[in-house]
Amino acid sequence: MAEDLVLDTAIRDWVLIPLTVVMILIGILRYFVSKLMQSQQTPDAKIVKEGQVVVRARNLRAGANFIPAKSFRARRAYFSNEENGLLHVPKGQGQNPQAQMFSDPNMAMDMMKKNLSMIIPQTLTFAWVNFFFSGFVAAKIPFPLTQRFRSMLQNGIDLSTVDVSYVSSRSWYFLNLFGLRGLFSLILGEENAMDDTQRMMQMGGFGFDPTKVQT
């Protein structure tokens, strides 16, 4: 039978709260550091226009059920007509989006800087948590869980007799690492809380191949 533990209030004051505050501050600091490291360059008008066209086409596809069929076919032809459609690219002239992105050295450098600004703080924070807070039972979830959650919530604690609802300090670090996006969206804005891959896919049409548009 799983044992019930009485958590010391000092663990809350010196482990749980500091970990949460540090993770929030590091996320905000990482955002501003990535902004400072980003090179200031004038975006290519052609790339911006193509990205906006892709966004408009996606909005049309998402709202296809809310407009008349005749209007939808007219708009689809406007985008994908083989003669003068905005999204039509003659065969052999389409470029791989990944190759197009990495052909720009400034964009590749910005991506490397953003990755470094993400990896380095996470590595240092994990080393700090593992050194100072390893082995603590930091919190308890107020509802029962199955044994499948033990490896996720009790990372760093090798005690099978402890109830699954208890959360170790190392697992609390990972929960904050992947679960603070909602809070960052309130502090920094929804757009700034998105990760770089999602932002590129939404704004720049990353991964879109206009030669595969179906009419």
Side-chain angles (χ1 to χ4, degrees):
M1 181 177 180
E3 299 180 359
D4 290 332
L5 303 178
V6 179
L7 300 182
D8 192 346
T9 56
I11 295 179
R12 176 197 62 195
D13 299 335
W14 296 102
V15 178
L16 188 69
I17 296 178
L19 269 177
T20 306
V21 173
V22 167
M23 293 299 297
I24 294 174
L25 294 178
I26 287 179
I28 297 175
L29 180 63
R30 186 178 63 192
Y31 164 73
F32 287 107
V33 169
S34 63
K35 284 291 185 181
L36 292 176
M37 295 176 62
Q38 186 176 4
S39 60
Q40 300 294 332
Q41 55 182 349
T42 303
D44 190 352
K46 181 180 178 181
I47 296 178
V48 174
K49 182 179 179 181
E50 290 177 352
Q52 292 176 348
V53 170
V54 172
V55 172
R56 290 171 58 191
R58 287 176 176 172
N59 293 335
L60 174 63
R61 183 178 61 181
N65 296 327
F66 302 98
I67 60 176
K70 182 178 179 181
S71 300
F72 172 75
R73 288 193 295 268
R75 289 172 171 80
R76 185 180 64 177
Y78 174 73
F79 286 112
S80 58
N81 188 278
E82 294 185 358
E83 296 181 358
N84 54 2
L86 294 180
L87 296 178
H88 176 69
V89 177
K91 293 183 179 180
Q93 296 185 11
Q95 187 176 7
N96 190 341
Q98 288 85 352
Q100 183 178 5
M101 181 185 66
F102 288 106
S103 63
D104 186 356
N106 293 327
M107 186 177 297
M109 183 63 67
D110 286 342
M111 284 192 60
M112 185 180 68
K113 290 179 180 179
K114 290 178 180 179
N115 290 334
L116 289 177
S117 66
M118 180 182 301
I119 294 174
I120 294 178
Q122 289 181 0
T123 304
L124 295 178
T125 307
F126 179 76
W128 172 69
V129 171
N130 200 36
F131 183 79
F132 288 101
F133 303 115
S134 179
F136 283 98
V137 177
K140 181 181 180 181
I141 297 178
F143 49 84
L145 296 171
T146 62
Q147 293 294 327
R148 294 173 179 264
F149 291 90
R150 181 177 296 276
S151 60
M152 181 179 69
L153 296 179
Q154 296 182 2
N155 191 302
I157 298 179
D158 190 14
L159 291 175
S160 59
T161 58
V162 178
D163 190 79
V164 184
S165 59
Y166 289 97
V167 183
S168 67
S169 56
R170 190 185 297 178
S171 295
W172 184 253
Y173 159 78
F174 287 110
L175 291 176
N176 281 272
L177 180 64
F178 298 107
L180 287 177
R181 178 181 171 184
L183 180 61
F184 289 145
S185 65
L186 295 176
I187 299 175
L188 305 174
E190 179 66 27
E191 184 65 24
N192 297 324
M194 297 174 61
D195 58 77
D196 297 332
T197 304
Q198 290 176 324
R199 187 180 298 112
M200 286 193 310
M201 290 179 64
Q202 180 177 1
M203 299 302 297
F206 179 73
F208 173 78
D209 189 354
T211 60
K212 296 181 180 180
V213 175
Q214 296 181 357
T215 59

